[in-house]
Amino acid sequence: MRPPRGRTWGRRGRTPLVRVSGGRGSGRVSMAGLIALRPGARTRLCYRIRVHRGRRGERRSLSEVDYIHLIDGAHRLLRAPIVLVWDRLGTHVSRAMQQLVAARSWLTVFLLPAYAPELNPVEGVWSQCKRTLANLTAGTVGRLEALVRNRLKSLQYRPTALDGFMTETGLPPP
């Protein structure tokens, strides 16, 4: 619930303050996404959002099932086999995920080198999303979820920005 910090203007001698609840148990929003390229088609952004309300026993991050639902959704959208290039997040390389990937003949997975966020184009998406949320206060987790969905939805309609995230990693433009 704590907003990313950004810069703003204020009256001389008065530091602008942004008040948030700051409660640890107030919840969090987890995001997963991928940039999909298909020859002859526009670049697409596929994402999934999961809200965690901070309840006891509730998982605080996305699970293998959440990630595989994202990949299945991208497969339905693209109607083509998928070559997935993934970072080495623990959930991505877990044994459970390996079994889920092996059950999909249309899915091929390659892993990025360890600690190489500059090679991951989705990092640009998260950076852009966080930058647009700087200094915004969301009173509830539901409001934060709506803001994040709004920002990601607007990025879906900007294929040139998505192409820019791809070229930022050193890949040739699609």
Side-chain angles (χ1 to χ4, degrees):
M1 290 294 295
R2 289 190 213 119
R5 291 193 338 193
R7 294 182 181 261
T8 187
W9 295 95
R11 289 180 168 252
R12 185 177 296 242
R14 292 189 180 185
T15 304
L17 296 177
V18 179
R19 299 199 186 278
V20 295
S21 66
R24 291 253 173 210
S26 58
R28 75 185 329 165
V29 176
S30 295
M31 304 178 288
L34 56 90
I35 295 177
L37 298 172
R38 185 173 183 184
R42 70 178 176 89
T43 307
R44 296 175 178 261
L45 173 66
C46 303
Y47 63 88
R48 290 282 189 264
I49 295 177
R50 185 167 189 186
V51 177
H52 311 281
R53 304 282 177 194
R55 296 184 181 106
R56 284 187 189 258
E58 183 182 30
R59 186 179 172 113
R60 295 185 60 190
S61 62
L62 294 166
S63 68
E64 289 86 354
V65 174
D66 295 320
Y67 286 108
I68 212 68
H69 285 316
L70 170 64
I71 296 166
D72 287 341
H75 179 63
R76 282 190 301 277
L77 176 71
L78 299 173
R79 297 186 192 118
I82 293 180
V83 176
L84 185 65
V85 181
W86 241 349
D87 58 9
R88 293 182 184 265
L89 181 69
T91 311
H92 296 170
V93 296
S94 71
R95 195 170 287 155
M97 182 56 79
Q98 289 174 1
Q99 292 171 352
L100 290 168
V101 167
R104 287 155 176 80
S105 61
W106 46 264
L107 180 61
T108 305
V109 176
F110 293 99
L111 295 175
L112 286 170
Y115 304 107
E118 68 278 0
L119 298 177
N120 189 352
V122 180
E123 293 294 335
V125 173
W126 303 145
S127 175
Q128 177 71 21
C129 185
K130 288 178 184 177
R131 200 173 312 130
T132 62
L133 292 172
N135 292 335
L136 286 175
T137 56
T140 65
V141 176
R143 177 72 179 130
L144 179 62
E145 176 191 14
L147 289 168
V148 168
R149 282 189 192 280
N150 179 293
R151 299 316 193 266
L152 292 174
K153 189 70 166 175
S154 69
L155 275 174
Q156 280 184 319
Y157 292 105
R158 297 176 55 207
T160 54
L162 299 175
D163 292 342
F165 298 141
M166 293 298 292
T167 55
E168 190 176 52
T169 64
L171 293 171

